[in-house]
Amino acid sequence: MARLGTETAFEVLVKAKALEAKGRDVVHLEIGEPDFDTPANIIGAGCEALHKGFTHYGPSSGLMELREAIAQYVSETRSVNVSPDEVVVVPGGKPIIFFSILALCEQGDEVIYPNPGFPIYESMIDYVGAKAVPIRLREEMEFRLDVDELAGLINDRTKLIIINSPQNPTGGVLTKIDIDQIAEAIGNRNIMVLSDEIYSRLIFEGEHHSIMSIDGMKERTILLDGFSKTYAMTGWRMGYGVMRADLATQLSRLMTNSNSCTASFTQIAGVEALRGPQKSVEKMCAEFKKRRDVMVAGLNKIKGFSCRLPKGAFYVFPNITKTGWPSKKLADALLEDAGVAGLSGTAFGDFGEGYLRFSVANSIENIEKALERVDAWTKKNLK
Ligand SMILES: Cc1ncc(COP(=O)(O)O)c(C=O)c1O
């Protein structure tokens, strides 16, 4: 258990709530979830499903209706042919990370993963006793990975490569060329790719490209996507993996051993999410873009902060090295003294030092309030 890591966002949320309980006002920019309500048509479908009796166990890999809808959606959006037996529905995107690493990796294996990156990757690689091999994401590369560097990290022990685009925490988005070159670097080696595409519908500039679309990569890709971010359904707990049918059978067995199945009525709501109107997704994305612009412009006016415009997801990742403060100490001070909850870049790995992560999943009014507070704090505390 000592090897298992955590997701700091949940710890900071608890700390911020404790300050609020003492009467302090805190602007929450720490947690990565849309502040919007789940669209009404999806809630309606979930309620109706409850009344219709979708209150029982279902198949471990997910209800056929939903796996069919996912197979169709992924086939259309990634230009591949996916069948329902290649889909595993799980409670959130996270279990796909957990199960894939558990199923594929053991001591002696190496796993390449983005750093800074979603902390669960490193946590799970360490947990199963495999070797975590970070690929550093650099600001000067707009936080896309350097494919030459990736090629240099691949060896005979590499079992799995994790990529994530749009990326948490940097908002970096891999280009079509990046994806092509990553596939080229892997060549015909027997290496699996876990492609975390949970933010695939939250792109502000450019388009989403999946490594699954590349000839010869479908068999070696586990695609992770889900409902949490796209449809503001974080609390419903539903996501999915798309992978070779033989591997899908193994992941379903992990589901049988852990959760039995994802909640049945939730899955019916998932069918409505995928097949119903998509206007709310576009609306949320446009709103996140507006907030991103306000946040980045504001941060760039604050002493010691500089921030690139992220191309996707709903985070900004300002460089704070010119403040002279280490990231964790600065994040703590901003929460405790200024009432602004954000995360230290180091919550996403060692290469996150020198950065903070703020989520823009909050109103423009609150974002402006946070900017004023950070600005006032820096004026008071930085020489
Ligand atoms: C990159 C990435 N992958 C996966 C997840 C997990 O999403 P879910 O809440 O659906 O488990 C998150 C959530 O923050 C994420 O940022």
Side-chain angles (χ1 to χ4, degrees):
M1 289 309 296
R3 293 201 298 260
L4 193 67
T6 187
E7 192 180 350
T8 311
F10 288 97
E11 288 171 6
V12 174
L13 180 67
V14 169
K15 215 165 139 186
K17 293 266 179 215
L19 284 172
E20 284 175 323
K22 284 191 206 152
R24 294 279 308 280
D25 181 62
V26 176
V27 183
H28 290 274
L29 304 180
E30 74 278 41
I31 201 99
E33 70 168 341
D35 55 321
F36 303 107
D37 291 330
T38 305
N41 61 311
I42 301 173
I43 293 183
C47 293
E48 202 182 313
L50 279 169
H51 290 299
K52 279 190 175 157
F54 282 93
T55 51
H56 300 274
Y57 289 131
S60 291
S61 56
L63 293 176
M64 190 45 120
E65 298 95 299
L66 180 59
R67 283 190 289 131
E68 274 171 359
I70 292 168
Q72 187 188 349
Y73 170 73
V74 173
S75 299
E76 285 167 9
T77 51
R78 273 70 170 197
S79 312
V80 281
N81 260 329
V82 172
S83 64
D85 62 348
E86 295 171 310
V87 177
V88 185
V89 179
V90 292
K94 239 182 203 171
I96 292 297
I97 303 170
F98 193 100
F99 294 154
S100 301
I101 294 174
L102 203 57
L104 294 172
C105 307
E106 59 194 1
Q107 225 165 11
D109 293 334
E110 295 189 5
V111 183
I112 302 173
Y113 70 103
N115 187 331
F118 190 50
I120 303 308
Y121 309 141
E122 190 179 279
S123 166
M124 278 306 296
I125 300 164
D126 289 343
Y127 186 56
V128 300
K131 184 175 170 196
V133 181
I135 170 117
R136 185 175 193 156
L137 303 187
R138 291 189 168 81
E139 189 179 351
E140 56 273 25
M141 292 226 18
E142 296 182 302
F143 297 110
R144 295 159 26 239
L145 57 80
D146 179 331
V147 183
D148 288 336
E149 207 171 326
L150 175 71
L153 295 175
I154 297 174
N155 63 40
D156 292 345
R157 292 178 299 280
T158 308
K159 186 57 125 340
L160 179 69
I161 297 174
I162 303 174
I163 54 177
N164 171 215
S165 177
Q167 212 246 353
N168 177 10
T170 66
V173 172
L174 293 171
T175 64
K176 171 84 172 68
I177 296 174
D178 293 334
I179 297 278
D180 285 343
Q181 290 178 343
I182 293 169
E184 228 170 87
I186 295 169
N188 54 13
R189 290 185 181 88
N190 186 20
I191 294 173
M192 293 297 292
V193 177
L194 173 59
S195 184
D196 185 340
E197 302 179 22
I198 196 116
Y199 298 101
S200 61
R201 300 281 289 276
L202 291 168
I203 294 207
F204 313 123
E205 275 95 30
E207 274 172 41
H208 178 65
H209 299 284
S210 173
I211 197 160
M212 189 169 245
S213 314
I214 294 180
D215 270 354
M217 284 309 296
K218 190 193 154 203
E219 293 69 26
R220 286 176 288 162
T221 302
I222 299 169
L223 179 146
L224 180 166
D225 205 337
F227 299 81
S228 301
K229 318 285 177 175
T230 308
Y231 300 101
M233 291 176 75
T234 46
W236 293 70
R237 306 311 301 140
M238 184 167 50
Y240 55 87
V242 178
M243 67 208 78
R244 274 192 340 241
D246 60 335
L247 191 54
T249 306
Q250 305 304 331
L251 259 77
S252 299
R253 279 176 58 197
L254 284 170
M255 269 298 284
T256 307
N257 277 268
S258 53
N259 300 282
S260 293
C261 63
T262 305
S264 298
F265 65 94
T266 303
Q267 294 185 62
I268 298 297
V271 175
E272 171 63 21
L274 287 173
R275 297 225 155 119
Q278 301 295 305
K279 269 231 166 63
S280 52
V281 180
E282 288 152 30
K283 246 173 91 183
M284 283 191 267
C285 190
E287 186 58 34
F288 285 134
K289 186 177 180 195
K290 263 195 244 160
R291 297 167 177 189
R292 170 202 70 164
D293 291 344
V294 171
M295 188 71 182
V296 170
L299 285 171
N300 281 323
K301 288 190 197 128
I302 296 176
K303 190 176 173 178
F305 282 64
S306 72
C307 189
R308 276 175 191 268
L309 207 57
K311 291 195 164 77
F314 41 62
Y315 309 106
V316 299
F317 202 60
N319 183 322
I320 52 89
T321 45
K322 292 221 169 89
T323 62
W325 281 54
S327 298
K328 171 80 169 65
K329 196 172 157 209
L330 182 59
D332 287 347
L334 290 178
L335 173 59
E336 280 152 29
D337 303 345
V340 176
L343 298 183
S344 164
T346 52
F348 303 91
D350 293 344
F351 295 133
E353 182 55 59
Y355 298 89
L356 296 182
R357 189 197 80 171
F358 294 117
S359 158
V360 294
N362 206 325
S363 64
I364 293 208
E365 190 191 344
N366 281 334
I367 286 171
E368 282 171 344
K369 196 198 285 185
L371 286 165
E372 277 164 27
R373 289 180 180 185
V374 176
D375 189 38
W377 185 92
T378 55
K379 282 182 176 140
K380 194 169 140 205
N381 293 283
L382 300 185
K383 278 165 227 127

